[in-house]
Amino acid sequence: QVQLVESGGGLVQGGGSLRLSCAASGRTFSINDMGWYRQAPGKQRDLVATISKSGRTNYADSVKGRFTISRDNAKNIVYLQMNSLKPEDTAVYYCNAKMYLSTDYWGQGTQVTVSS
């Protein structure tokens, strides 16, 4: 089992920055990809960014050039640096961990609100 705890969400003005953190515990050795997803009210949960254990990254087109995902394997933490935030980025952000056998684990979510 893996537990994921997100932190760093909050209220920020448009154009501002936030850094989200996700701390993993439990069977962290079995984690392959990690990532961030977001869900706005009434919307589906969408991919924001993913990062493999070796550091390969993937980003949604809507955040390319603004967000950066990184990973500290020794500390079992994944980060999402969010710059140039827009009101459209407002959502609950969820940390995800995909195990090598394809089982997914999710954090509880952290609210990000970007004002205009």
Side-chain angles (χ1 to χ4, degrees), residues 82-109:
M82 305 185 293
N83 298 325
S84 302
L85 283 162
K86 306 173 181 179
E88 305 92 276
D89 296 318
T90 295
V92 176
Y93 283 69
Y94 295 92
C95 182
N96 168 263
K98 181 179 286 292
M99 315 303 281
Y100 284 103
L101 295 180
S102 76
T103 300
D104 283 314
Y105 293 91
W106 296 91
Q108 81 287 350

Side-chain angles (χ1 to χ4, degrees), residues 6-12 18-20 36-41 82 85 87-95 108-115:
E6 303 103 328
S7 62
L11 175 64
V12 66
L18 283 174
R19 188 195 192 200
L20 305 183
W36 290 94
Y37 295 71
R38 65 188 182 186
Q39 186 169 24
M82 305 185 293
L85 283 162
E88 305 92 276
D89 296 318
T90 295
V92 176
Y93 283 69
Y94 295 92
C95 182
Q108 81 287 350
T110 185
Q111 177 70 47
V112 171
T113 302
V114 184
S115 66

Side-chain angles (χ1 to χ4, degrees), residues 2 24 28-34 53 71 97-100:
V2 170
T28 56
F29 180 81
S30 297
I31 297 174
N32 189 3
D33 291 352
M34 296 190 73
K53 204 170 190 68
R71 182 172 179 173
K98 181 179 286 292
M99 315 303 281
Y100 284 103

Side-chain angles (χ1 to χ4, degrees), residues 30-58:
S30 297
I31 297 174
N32 189 3
D33 291 352
M34 296 190 73
W36 290 94
Y37 295 71
R38 65 188 182 186
Q39 186 169 24
K43 303 291 185 179
Q44 67 180 29
R45 188 173 298 185
D46 292 327
L47 169 74
V48 176
T50 61
I51 184 168
S52 71
K53 204 170 190 68
S54 63
R56 182 179 181 181
T57 59
N58 181 54

Side-chain angles (χ1 to χ4, degrees), residues 16-21 36 48-49 59 63 65-70 78-85:
S17 298
L18 283 174
R19 188 195 192 200
L20 305 183
S21 299
W36 290 94
V48 176
Y59 295 92
V63 306
R66 300 189 297 121
F67 292 9
T68 302
I69 189 169
S70 60
V78 63
Y79 302 96
L80 186 68
Q81 178 66 47
M82 305 185 293
N83 298 325
S84 302
L85 283 162

